[in-house]
Amino acid sequence: MRIGLSFWGFLGSGVLDTPDGGRFWRRPIVDELLALGHDVVLLQNDRDRLEAGDVLPYRWHSGLPPVDVLFCEWRWPLPGRNTTPCGTEGHTCDLHRQTDLLVHYTITSGTPTVIWDTDRQLPADSPLHDRGNVIVCEPGLAPPAGITSLVHPVPDKLLDDAGPEALAAVHRSLPLIYVGNQYNRDEEFDAFFAPAAARFPHRVAGKWTQIERWPHVNFTGRCPFPEVQHLHRAALATVLLNPARYSRVGHVSQRLFEAALAGCLPITPDVIAGAEVFTPPVLHVRDGCEVIDRVEWALGIAGSKEHADLIGACLSHLEPFRLSAWTARLIQLIESLIHTTGAA
């Protein structure tokens, strides 16, 4: 089938000044759909070419080409950026373009539409929830009623190639790291990461602008996307820090995959619903003191068989998130929409 894909981000490495975590799984999704014989047309700007100078072998379209289904990574209003008039300084047209796509395909033509609300920003009272040709999905394991779970995927090859013994043997110069941005994570950072940062050498890489309350923390700013894997391979452990709106529904970002695939132990606050699905129970913590305890324990077993077994257990927990299963789930959702709407 022909799938129209709307997203605002990059397929490649992109540029430094972006929080686009979708770079981990977005290009593998497109490649997997193409490998299965589907026709994928990309409906937002080619930011890889326009901003990063990368010419990639995919097809973009700035108009309204015929599609069998519209798949949107949901965009939301960002005042001063995508809510300003077109052509003004700092304007991005992702929201305007998404509106045009929804009006043409979803509302006017009745095209089957999958909305993947990866940041939980679609209002609960949006009329899109009530349309028979729309399925709204979130990456959480336990989304609210009326919303379908569509978790973030991990590429099969990355999981197949990860070897616990080899990862345990890697020299790790830092006991603790966090790679990610500040957005709505202050409370979790205070409770789980900051106490351990006072005890161990560490690094926090990402966009953190309000940092006065943590003078002891080593904030190093944003890093290029390709460096994320290297940072995790240099660290023994990280902490999965979620905004509260993620934790309530069992939603974790690609940081889990990036860490586990690099052998960086993902210490998991037990406030995350379904934590037992994501990581082994021995890595679950209730507070900052338990984070310290887990890091000290990890330092004591580093490089041992116990360490390799623990990394292997972390990798085993990623099995349900394989991209092949994710793609099959997406196609199943699309086919159910086509059946329900009677679309050809």
Side-chain angles (χ1 to χ4, degrees), residues 87-138:
T88 58
E89 184 177 358
H91 175 76
T92 62
C93 219
D94 53 301
L95 190 60
H96 291 166
R97 175 63 169 165
Q98 178 177 269
T99 299
D100 290 344
L101 296 173
L102 291 170
V103 169
H104 175 77
Y105 293 114
T106 310
I107 298 172
T108 303
S109 302
T111 302
T113 300
V114 177
I115 291 173
W116 197 24
D117 188 12
T118 57
D119 203 47
R120 307 203 70 216
Q121 295 287 350
L122 180 66
D125 60 355
S126 168
L128 289 168
H129 289 288
D130 301 321
R131 296 193 62 88
N133 63 323
V134 174
I135 291 180
V136 177
C137 304
E138 290 183 5

Side-chain angles (χ1 to χ4, degrees), residues 73-86:
E73 287 182 31
W74 186 250
R75 300 302 301 161
W76 59 96
L78 297 168
R81 185 162 52 171
N82 60 12
T83 59
T84 54
C86 297

Side-chain angles (χ1 to χ4, degrees), residues 282-321:
V282 71
L283 292 176
H284 298 175
V285 294
R286 293 172 293 183
D287 53 36
C289 291
E290 291 194 353
V291 174
I292 292 170
D293 177 71
R294 297 304 188 275
V295 175
E296 288 180 338
W297 169 59
L299 286 167
I301 66 169
S304 68
K305 183 181 183 300
E306 186 178 4
H307 187 202
D309 289 344
L310 182 55
I311 292 173
C314 291
L315 295 172
S316 294
H317 276 71
L318 302 189
E319 286 291 336
F321 303 97

Side-chain angles (χ1 to χ4, degrees), residues 5 7-14 18-30 47-48 71 73 75-76 116 118-119 139 152-155 158 181 225 228 246 251-255 257-258 323 326:
L5 176 56
F7 65 89
W8 188 250
F10 296 92
L11 295 170
S13 295
T18 177
D20 181 23
R23 288 171 292 184
F24 176 81
W25 38 254
R26 189 178 294 120
R27 185 172 185 177
I29 286 174
V30 175
R47 296 182 67 194
D48 290 278
F71 178 45
E73 287 182 31
R75 300 302 301 161
W76 59 96
W116 197 24
T118 57
D119 203 47
H152 290 125
V154 56
L158 295 182
N181 299 316
F225 177 68
V228 170
Y246 285 11
H251 169 172
V252 298
S253 75
Q254 78 289 345
R255 299 303 178 201
F257 308 143
E258 291 168 340
L323 176 59
W326 185 97

